[in-house]
Amino acid sequence: SQELEQSPQSLIVQEGKNLTINCTSSKTLYGLYWYKQKYGEGLIFLMMLQKGGEEKSHEKITAKLDEKKQQSSLHITASQPSHAGIYLCGAAFTGAGSYQLTFGKGTKLSVIP
Amino acid sequence: KAGVTQTPRYLIKTRGQQVTLSCSPISGHRSVSWYQQTPGQGLQFLFEYFSETQRNKGNFPGRFSGRQFSNSRSEMNVSTLELGDSALYLCASSRTITRSGANVLTFGAGSRLTVL
């Protein structure tokens, strides 16, 4: 089974709606990273979480890491077409300073105007 | 500040050939990592270099190799190409940003390799 599971695999929402993407780990997370990718392009860094219970926000995107440090959620408020893309969570399993990230398979988000 | 630059962006090769991909990290970043992205397997770690030394290697065959130069630029090479090597190859550079040692990877746009 996957070390990092993302759900849902895909999501279609109407513009203005809120949505949540989940990332569940089978192991303790030393760092959890959220990235966004436009199809076939590089990854854009969104946020990094390290401490259990930590929550970070940027514009309309909020990410949380649960207390046990094995699950994270990404919440988008009032979605816009510019939010469309593939959201990937990446985990550092071997230590906070690890450069080797394990990624989930991604969640493809489509926002209908 | 220039981002991570990867060249070439697109290339087509045939089975049995070899390919070299190049990555120029953000100025001041000494760590360069390489990832392979395919529809079936997703993003998978290939290797990571720091100060010209390979520090970590993912679970890929010996046909995949890399190196880093003194200016931190990195290249990866795939020899004896197979159809399954068709993928988007992403390079990322990073620097330590927190007291705990956490790193943020900044990715390039990728090199899309098609093997025929």
Side-chain angles (χ1 to χ4, degrees), chain A residues 33 35 37 39-43 45 48 50 88 96-101 103-105, chain B residues 31 35 37 40-41 43 45 48 55 90 94 98 100-105 108-109 112:
Chain A
Y33 302 76
Y35 285 87
Q37 183 180 31
Y39 180 73
E41 298 180 7
L43 280 62
F45 172 73
M48 175 191 68
Q50 281 186 278
L88 293 141
S98 173
Y99 295 88
Q100 179 176 346
L101 298 186
F103 284 90
K105 288 289 183 75
Chain B
S31 169
Y35 287 79
Q37 187 177 35
Q41 299 298 319
L43 261 171
F45 172 78
E48 185 253 341
R55 297 198 298 187
L90 292 162
S94 61
T98 69
S100 66
N103 303 286
V104 172
L105 303 185
R112 181 164 295 282

Side-chain angles (χ1 to χ4, degrees), chain A:
Chain A
S1 62
Q2 286 281 324
E3 290 180 309
L4 212 56
E5 297 273 0
Q6 276 188 247
S7 62
Q9 285 185 308
S10 64
L11 202 49
I12 302 173
V13 299
Q14 201 78 35
E15 182 177 358
K17 297 294 186 183
N18 302 336
L19 64 106
T20 300
I21 298 169
N22 293 302
C23 178
T24 302
S25 171
S26 59
K27 302 188 287 189
T28 298
L29 300 164
Y30 287 92
L32 191 289
Y33 302 76
W34 283 100
Y35 285 87
K36 179 185 174 185
Q37 183 180 31
K38 290 286 192 182
Y39 180 73
E41 298 180 7
L43 280 62
I44 298 168
F45 172 73
L46 295 174
M47 276 171 277
M48 175 191 68
L49 305 164
Q50 281 186 278
K51 300 175 185 176
E54 188 173 12
E55 179 175 322
K56 288 187 178 178
S57 294
H58 177 67
E59 297 180 341
K60 294 184 178 180
I61 301 176
T62 300
K64 301 178 186 179
L65 182 62
D66 79 350
E67 291 289 344
K68 294 183 179 179
K69 296 174 67 174
Q70 287 197 275
Q71 188 172 34
S72 178
S73 60
L74 185 83
H75 184 78
I76 298 177
T77 304
S79 58
Q80 301 169 351
S82 60
H83 287 129
I86 299 170
Y87 289 81
L88 293 141
C89 62
F93 286 130
T94 57
S98 173
Y99 295 88
Q100 179 176 346
L101 298 186
T102 299
F103 284 90
K105 288 289 183 75
T107 295
K108 183 179 178 181
L109 172 64
S110 301
V111 180
I112 303 171

